[in-house]
Amino acid sequence: MLLAFDIGNTNIKTAIFNNGNLVQEWRIHTDAKRTGDEYFSILRTLFKDIELDIKLINNAIISSVVPQLIGPFVIVTQRFLNKKPIIVGPDIYEKLPIKIPKSAVHEIGTDLLCDALQAWNTFHSACIVADFGTALSFTAIDNNANIAGIAIAPGIGTALNSLFNNTAQLPSVSLEIPHTSLGTNTIECIQSGILYGYKGLVEGMILQMKKDLEKQTNVKITDIHTIATGGLNSMLSPITKVFEKLDKMLTLNGLYSIAEYTLK
């Protein structure tokens, strides 16, 4: 069994895999001020709730975009398993089929690397991953498993929160797709601006990346696959057909795949 931690800016996804199959997943709010002891206490309670036998877990892996939480989760892993975890970082990149530009080796978000690896495992050809998280990221992979480039924009939730926090008269609204882009009240106006606005952003960004990928690598635009992941990945699905596949598990499955490559 594998214990996997995907530490994001908003949530920490904890997963248990058994022979490649997801057994259990939890989401914990990310708090960079918590200690390893505090996270250990939280996770121990969650594990007890499902009567998980820790002795069945052989290895652990950590992907983190919050550097200050790597240390606490190393402590968590050592307390549970009495061994060090695999930490996704430059030390293991040479073991992976995905190739990272030299300029990005020490900069790329490890969550995006997980996305890229699993997208490559899914299509085995050129593809673009859109990850709808705290940030909205687009990762392009060419036909030779090279990460060709990444684009990053504010996530949908991040943009929405910024709008509320920086305006005096706009209320908090639920993210529901309005029946038209022509809002006639404040709630519909915000919903239209955010959701139809992000539809345009996503479709335009993917089209531009496809054009640039074709120009740089000679892959045909029609041969470039698209996949979406992240907590809000399904938000736009009713109003856009830009994605071939939606996969909320893409990052976690990519983390499992990285562990498999590393432990070979």
Side-chain angles (χ1 to χ4, degrees):
M1 286 182 130
L2 177 75
L3 173 61
F5 296 112
D6 175 24
I7 303 172
N9 289 296
T10 303
N11 292 305
I12 299 166
K13 288 182 282 187
T14 303
I16 304 292
F17 286 93
N18 186 21
N19 294 323
N21 298 312
L22 180 68
V23 175
Q24 185 70 43
E25 178 192 357
W26 299 270
R27 287 174 182 262
I28 304 169
H29 176 67
T30 302
D31 184 349
K33 295 180 180 179
R34 278 187 178 142
T35 65
D37 291 338
E38 289 174 303
Y39 278 114
F40 174 77
S41 179
I42 292 169
L43 290 165
R44 183 175 55 182
T45 300
L46 294 174
F47 292 171
K48 283 183 177 179
D49 285 344
I50 64 165
E51 298 180 349
L52 175 67
D53 185 355
I54 300 297
K55 294 179 182 178
L56 296 176
I57 300 176
N58 309 110
N59 293 288
I61 185 168
I62 297 172
S63 164
S64 180
V65 297
V66 185
Q68 55 267 52
L69 281 181
I70 294 175
F73 273 85
V74 169
I75 292 171
V76 167
T77 302
Q78 289 178 320
R79 289 191 66 178
F80 276 125
L81 308 185
N82 198 29
K83 66 190 302 185
K84 292 183 178 179
I86 301 164
I87 298 174
V88 181
D91 290 344
I92 67 168
Y93 290 166
E94 63 181 17
K95 297 180 179 180
L96 308 178
I98 287 289
K99 304 173 189 69
I100 304 166
K102 290 182 179 180
S103 59
V105 166
H106 296 282
E107 296 181 2
I108 189 170
T110 53
D111 55 340
L112 303 188
L113 179 62
C114 293
D115 289 345
L117 177 63
Q118 199 59 26
W120 176 258
N121 284 348
T122 300
F123 298 114
H124 292 287
S125 61
C127 53
I128 296 171
V129 185
D131 191 330
F132 290 78
T134 306
L136 170 57
S137 61
F138 302 86
T139 305
I141 302 100
D142 69 18
N143 264 332
N144 295 312
N146 297 300
I147 294 179
I150 295 169
I152 300 174
I156 294 176
T158 302
L160 197 60
N161 290 334
S162 177
L163 186 65
F164 301 145
N165 292 333
N166 291 285
T167 55
Q169 291 185 302
L170 295 182
S172 175
V173 303
S174 60
L175 279 175
E176 298 176 3
I177 297 171
H179 67 282
T180 173
S181 64
L182 305 174
T184 56
N185 58 60
T186 302
I187 291 176
E188 289 180 351
C189 292
I190 294 171
Q191 290 173 334
S192 173
I194 293 292
L195 293 172
Y196 284 104
Y198 266 82
K199 172 182 182 289
L201 187 159
V202 169
E203 292 177 344
M205 193 70 240
I206 287 178
L207 178 59
Q208 185 62 52
M209 292 185 88
K210 282 185 173 183
K211 288 179 177 178
D212 291 338
L213 202 54
E214 181 182 57
K215 187 185 300 182
Q216 292 179 26
T217 67
N218 294 321
V219 62
K220 292 182 180 179
I221 284 181
T222 52
D223 293 336
I224 302 172
H225 301 282
T226 54
I227 186 168
T229 191
L232 296 175
N233 79 80
S234 60
M235 187 64 63
L236 299 180
S237 58
I239 55 175
T240 184
K241 302 299 181 186
V242 73
F243 298 115
E244 293 176 42
K245 185 177 177 65
L246 303 179
D247 185 356
K248 284 191 175 183
M249 285 295 298
L250 189 76
T251 311
L252 278 177
N253 284 332
L255 193 52
Y256 177 84
S257 295
I258 288 175
E260 288 286 281
Y261 284 113
T262 304
L263 293 168
K264 284 182 178 177

